[in-house]
Amino acid sequence: KFAWSRIAAPRTLQSSVHISHSSFFQRTTVQLASATVSMHMYAAALLASAAALAPSTRLTPTRRSRIYTAVAEPETTEKAVEPPKCPLNAEAQLLAARDAVLRASKDGVTRQQLRTLLRRDGELVPPDETWTGGIMQLYGACRPLARDLLRKIGEARDDKPSLREQRLDVSGVDGESLLVAEGESARNDASLFIQPSSEVQKTIENVCAAAGPRLVL
């Protein structure tokens, strides 16, 4: 309310007041309209900025589930190969040694090293420090085993070899010798060294070179 609202104002004053009020409201309306447009533009700018700054969303890959089915395998009729057993007597050991030598020879291995137990007092014992007689006692136990082994190998080849022995130790107390099995067929010949040492290395090389594809133990 204006202070002069109760007093009759002159016509010109009324007109000027009316005009002033009209201009004021128009100006206010324009200002409000401009403010509204500015707010909408500002809100739109904020939304655009938020959209630009927001991290891009990725689609979560679909997880695939796998189904596992237990299937009973058929029983096999094949039997597992058992490891070789330690021979309990001299005859079983002799046959096991013969079979091992023949299997290796069949596979093309003609240079072989063979280690066995030795018979003492009717029992098989390892060649260790319990042999009080030393190297010559070991030679005495090893020699018959070596001769029997060469005979068994010849028999498995349907051959009857003749054996001969050559001592390699010059002193005669080192227990070294060479056994040669000469078969009816030369391809069945075999040589066997008993307790060879580095001192007879040259002899070993010569025998191996002369033997060719034939067996050397």
Side-chain angles (χ1 to χ4, degrees), residues 36-183:
T36 303
V37 173
S38 299
M39 290 179 65
H40 283 295
M41 293 178 64
Y42 182 67
L46 287 177
L47 290 175
S49 299
L53 294 175
S56 59
T57 57
R58 298 179 180 178
L59 296 177
T60 304
T62 306
R63 294 183 178 181
R64 298 181 180 179
S65 59
R66 296 182 180 180
I67 301 176
Y68 296 91
T69 305
V71 180
E73 296 183 357
E75 295 183 358
T76 58
T77 57
E78 298 180 358
K79 295 183 179 180
V81 179
E82 296 182 357
K85 297 180 180 180
C86 183
L88 301 178
N89 53 63
E91 184 64 21
Q93 177 181 252
L94 179 63
L95 296 178
R98 177 204 63 185
D99 295 342
V101 171
L102 291 176
R103 283 195 304 269
S105 299
K106 186 177 180 180
D107 291 338
V109 182
T110 58
R111 303 295 182 264
Q112 304 178 24
Q113 291 184 1
L114 184 65
R115 297 177 184 274
T116 68
L117 301 176
L118 297 178
R119 189 171 183 177
R120 186 180 67 187
D121 299 331
E123 296 181 358
L124 293 177
V125 295
D128 53 18
E129 66 278 358
T130 60
W131 292 71
T132 57
I135 194 71
M136 289 305 295
Q137 186 181 11
L138 290 171
Y139 169 76
C142 189
R143 183 174 178 271
L145 173 61
R147 296 176 66 91
D148 291 341
L149 177 61
L150 289 176
R151 290 193 180 98
K152 290 292 184 181
I153 292 174
E155 292 174 1
R157 293 174 171 176
D158 295 329
D159 203 333
K160 294 181 178 180
S162 59
L163 303 180
R164 58 184 178 86
E165 182 179 6
Q166 177 184 354
R167 291 292 297 267
L168 301 178
D169 49 341
V170 180
S171 62
V173 295
D174 293 331
E176 296 175 313
S177 70
L178 169 64
L179 286 174
V180 178
E182 295 179 349

Side-chain angles (χ1 to χ4, degrees), residues 6-29:
R6 294 183 182 180
I7 303 174
R11 191 175 295 274
T12 56
L13 180 61
Q14 291 179 1
S15 176
S16 62
V17 171
H18 177 73
I19 292 173
S20 298
H21 283 301
S22 297
S23 299
F24 173 76
F25 285 119
Q26 289 177 359
R27 187 167 58 249
T28 305
T29 302

